[in-house]
Amino acid sequence: NIIKSKSFEFALRVVKLHRYLAGEKYEFVLSKQLLRSGTSIGALVRESEHAESKADFIHKLSIALKEANETEYWLELLYKSDYIDETNYTSHVSEIKEILKLLISIIKTSKTK
């Protein structure tokens, strides 16, 4: 399950980025928001595996999509406010964009079936 593994790996990266931001940059507010939204994507994907219905499955993944979109926002804000460098930003954003595309595709496919 590619979305399951990608969202989990991304969550691990977010946890490590949060640890860096809190420990090295003494940034706690934005990084906490990133931690919350970035890790909830994988949790929602996991929840969707045991959805009670197709509608519940779509709903859980739709919330994951919103969290992924929010995560992209926090990453951009951290980059534009000089808390993370361009390399770190580009790396995380390319991953979240891939997750966004996967979620959109799964949701669209599930709605048409």
Side-chain angles (χ1 to χ4, degrees):
N1 186 339
I2 191 153
I3 189 64
K4 182 178 174 180
S5 62
K6 286 196 177 291
S7 60
F8 184 79
E9 289 301 317
F10 182 76
L12 279 176
R13 289 194 68 206
V14 166
V15 168
K16 290 175 183 176
L17 180 57
H18 174 264
R19 190 181 307 143
Y20 162 76
L21 289 167
E24 301 289 322
K25 299 284 188 169
Y26 302 103
E27 197 300 306
F28 303 101
V29 177
L30 302 178
S31 62
K32 187 73 166 190
Q33 292 287 84
L34 175 70
L35 179 67
R36 188 199 53 74
S37 65
T39 57
S40 68
I41 301 162
L44 286 158
V45 167
R46 287 278 177 102
E47 277 187 53
S48 75
E49 289 181 319
H50 298 286
E52 296 173 9
S53 64
K54 183 173 145 182
D56 188 36
F57 175 79
I58 292 167
H59 178 70
K60 287 183 184 341
L61 289 185
S62 295
I63 295 170
L65 179 63
K66 289 178 182 183
E67 294 292 338
N69 190 51
E70 182 182 334
T71 299
E72 187 178 12
Y73 170 81
W74 294 121
L75 286 167
E76 184 177 354
L77 193 57
L78 284 162
Y79 172 61
K80 297 283 185 175
S81 59
D82 297 322
Y83 281 109
I84 58 175
D85 62 22
E86 187 173 357
T87 304
N88 216 335
Y89 171 72
T90 305
S91 172
H92 282 84
V93 165
S94 68
E95 263 188 78
I96 198 64
K97 285 189 182 294
E98 186 177 352
I99 290 169
L100 281 161
K101 287 177 188 175
L102 285 168
L103 287 168
I104 290 167
S105 176
I106 294 166
I107 292 166
K108 282 183 179 178
T109 302
S110 298
K111 284 181 176 179
T112 59
K113 285 186 179 177

